[in-house]
Amino acid sequence: MPRQLGAVDKGGTATLSAPPFEPVVAAGEPETVGVSTVRPFALWLREWGLHLEVFTAFAAGAAAAFAVAPRPYLALLVLTAWVLGSYYRGRAVTTPLTHQLRAVAGSALLPFTAVAAGVGFAGIPSDEVPQAFAAVGAGIATSVLCRSLRWRLQAPVRVVVVGDRAAVATAITSWARTSRMHVVGGMLVEQDLPAHSAPQEILGVPTVAGLESARGLVGKLHADLVVVHRGEGITSDTFRRLTWALEASNCNIGVIGLTESVAPHRISPGSIDRLGVLDVRPPRPSTVVRTIKAGADRVLAAVLLVFFAPLLLAMVAAVRLDSRGPALFKQVRVGRGGKPFTVYKMRTMVQDAEEQKQKLTQDNEFDSVLFKMKSDPRITRVGAFLRKSSLDELPQLLNVLKGDMSLVGPRPHLPEEIAAMDSDTLRRLAVRPGITGLWQVSGRSDLTFQEAAALDTYYADNWSLAGDVAICAQTLKAVVSGRGAY
């Protein structure tokens, strides 16, 4: 019978009477929890990195203030106000780095506004303003540098999942691909699950039944985040008691479930008669945003075609010299709204590749919808290089210029592939297909069809101009690495 965590004591504090598991740690080796190894420095940086960042930023700002003036009292006061605001915003563990860096810079707005108001209404000498700007500017630069380094070097966010067995298992498998999250424990909350029959672990991750010892478990596992998944056993009262149990800890609490497929920029908190409500914007951006994207696509496509013209001519010559057949490969694909169009690519296979495909069907390494082989005998020597470098996609700039495609979007599929998709997967047809997209920067052909389809559907619902810029930047890294390109 599995050992259970202790109950709540008389003072209402969750206590740890008997640990549900004992991690085995060899002498001189890093601590291990579940199946993941935690580096001691990375774990220390996760716990104390923000404190070190705040101290370093304040020291840099103070040094800059004293370098400008011998007695920068106002500058130090403004710097202190900024540091406090920056520290408060830096505690979130689920906020992306780019948002955190914007928050670091944005936290200077209030102190600067106060200084400007002081000069205008309180008679503060104007010569003290440059001192304040120098101090906060140095602090911001130091904080941005420290937070960027900390984001890369610190340990993954250690997560405890609260929910039923299926929710815990789903979190473990879905977050196994990312290096930013690591599920270290689970708390099972199910109405018909007796404590004595609850599993001690799921997929190698230790689990306990109930929320009675949440505080002790979170401390035992050094958890940074408790993620509550909606389910029959989770009620508003249950969630409230969980927040009470963890209020004295440094652990953040998150909620997932209904909005997993919604990007953060579409969600804003609100309330109706003291009831917390998440306002979710429609997935279709405004006409202005869509017009800007369409215009930017065509302008950039024209510029890139001119820039890459010599390279395109060189590829045409290389393809023609390497094998018989035209340099450009044309194929019918399905675009926005189910409208077919002709896609252009550099030919990377032999001329009769489609005829040979029927003989290779049994060697398909992807799935029943798409056909992929890591060592496809139809690929030519030049074609292998073009695929590995993704240069075979460059002619699709013509499709972007014509308006059939976008620079960023879901992958364009064949009509027979579209016919085999379900209604949810066909959501991809709500936007123009793209030369690059989430699918391309997340592993390309290394992903299963279900994973690739989920990414394309997510993009169709949540695309934004800023997101497109980020995908374009990540595309350069994906092209250089060549991962999943075959």
Side-chain angles (χ1 to χ4, degrees), residues 91 215 241-251 253:
R91 293 186 65 232
R215 182 179 175 184
R241 294 189 189 103
L242 178 63
T243 62
W244 291 346
L246 299 179
E247 67 178 344
S249 69
N250 290 324
C251 187
I253 301 177

Side-chain angles (χ1 to χ4, degrees), residues 170-246:
T170 300
I172 295 171
T173 54
S174 61
W175 291 338
R177 281 184 172 272
T178 176
S179 60
R180 298 296 182 194
M181 309 280 284
H182 172 48
V183 180
V184 296
M187 289 184 278
L188 303 178
V189 182
E190 296 184 40
Q191 291 181 343
D192 300 325
L193 179 65
H196 64 272
S197 62
Q200 285 185 291
E201 66 175 37
I202 295 178
L203 299 177
V205 174
T207 58
V208 297
L211 303 177
E212 290 79 10
S213 299
R215 182 179 175 184
L217 180 65
V218 165
K220 179 77 174 180
L221 299 176
H222 306 288
D224 304 301
L225 176 67
V226 171
V227 173
V228 182
H229 198 288
R230 67 181 181 90
E232 294 182 358
I234 304 294
T235 65
S236 59
D237 290 335
T238 304
F239 180 75
R240 181 171 56 179
R241 294 189 189 103
L242 178 63
T243 62
W244 291 346
L246 299 179

Side-chain angles (χ1 to χ4, degrees), residues 15-267:
T15 58
L16 189 66
S17 60
F21 66 98
E22 295 291 344
V24 179
V25 183
E29 295 206 5
E31 175 190 0
T32 60
V33 178
V35 295
S36 178
T37 300
V38 180
R39 296 167 295 168
F41 173 73
L43 188 59
W44 177 89
L45 196 61
R46 162 70 63 189
E47 185 172 359
W48 296 101
L50 180 59
H51 300 78
L52 180 62
E53 174 192 324
V54 169
F55 175 80
T56 305
F58 183 83
F66 279 105
V68 175
R71 297 177 181 177
Y73 300 124
L74 178 63
L76 294 178
L77 180 63
V78 174
L79 177 65
T80 302
W82 169 80
V83 164
L84 293 176
S86 179
Y87 174 79
Y88 173 77
R89 290 169 173 82
R91 293 186 65 232
V93 297
T94 59
T95 305
L97 177 61
T98 53
H99 293 187
Q100 291 194 37
L101 297 183
R102 285 202 297 267
V104 169
S107 60
L109 180 61
L110 182 59
F112 284 159
T113 303
V115 171
V119 172
F121 301 102
I124 296 177
S126 59
D127 58 354
E128 295 192 22
V129 175
Q131 303 170 17
F133 273 78
V136 176
I140 289 176
T142 304
S143 184
V144 167
L145 177 61
C146 290
R147 192 158 303 188
S148 300
L149 291 174
R150 181 162 60 89
W151 185 263
R152 292 182 175 275
L153 299 178
Q154 68 188 3
V157 176
R158 298 167 66 82
V159 182
V160 171
V161 181
V162 178
D164 56 26
R165 285 166 288 185
V168 174
T170 300
I172 295 171
T173 54
S174 61
W175 291 338
R177 281 184 172 272
T178 176
S179 60
R180 298 296 182 194
M181 309 280 284
H182 172 48
V183 180
V184 296
M187 289 184 278
L188 303 178
V189 182
E190 296 184 40
Q191 291 181 343
D192 300 325
L193 179 65
H196 64 272
S197 62
Q200 285 185 291
E201 66 175 37
I202 295 178
L203 299 177
V205 174
T207 58
V208 297
L211 303 177
E212 290 79 10
S213 299
R215 182 179 175 184
L217 180 65
V218 165
K220 179 77 174 180
L221 299 176
H222 306 288
D224 304 301
L225 176 67
V226 171
V227 173
V228 182
H229 198 288
R230 67 181 181 90
E232 294 182 358
I234 304 294
T235 65
S236 59
D237 290 335
T238 304
F239 180 75
R240 181 171 56 179
R241 294 189 189 103
L242 178 63
T243 62
W244 291 346
L246 299 179
E247 67 178 344
S249 69
N250 290 324
C251 187
N252 291 31
I253 301 177
V255 180
I256 60 174
L258 289 175
T259 58
E260 289 176 338
S261 61
V262 182
H265 73 268
R266 288 178 52 204
I267 301 175

Side-chain angles (χ1 to χ4, degrees), residues 19 21 42 58 102 106 170 175 250 284 302 316 343 358 438 451 479:
F21 66 98
F58 183 83
R102 285 202 297 267
T170 300
W175 291 338
N250 290 324
R284 184 179 177 86
V316 167
V343 70
Q358 303 301 325
L438 283 177
E451 291 170 333
V479 169

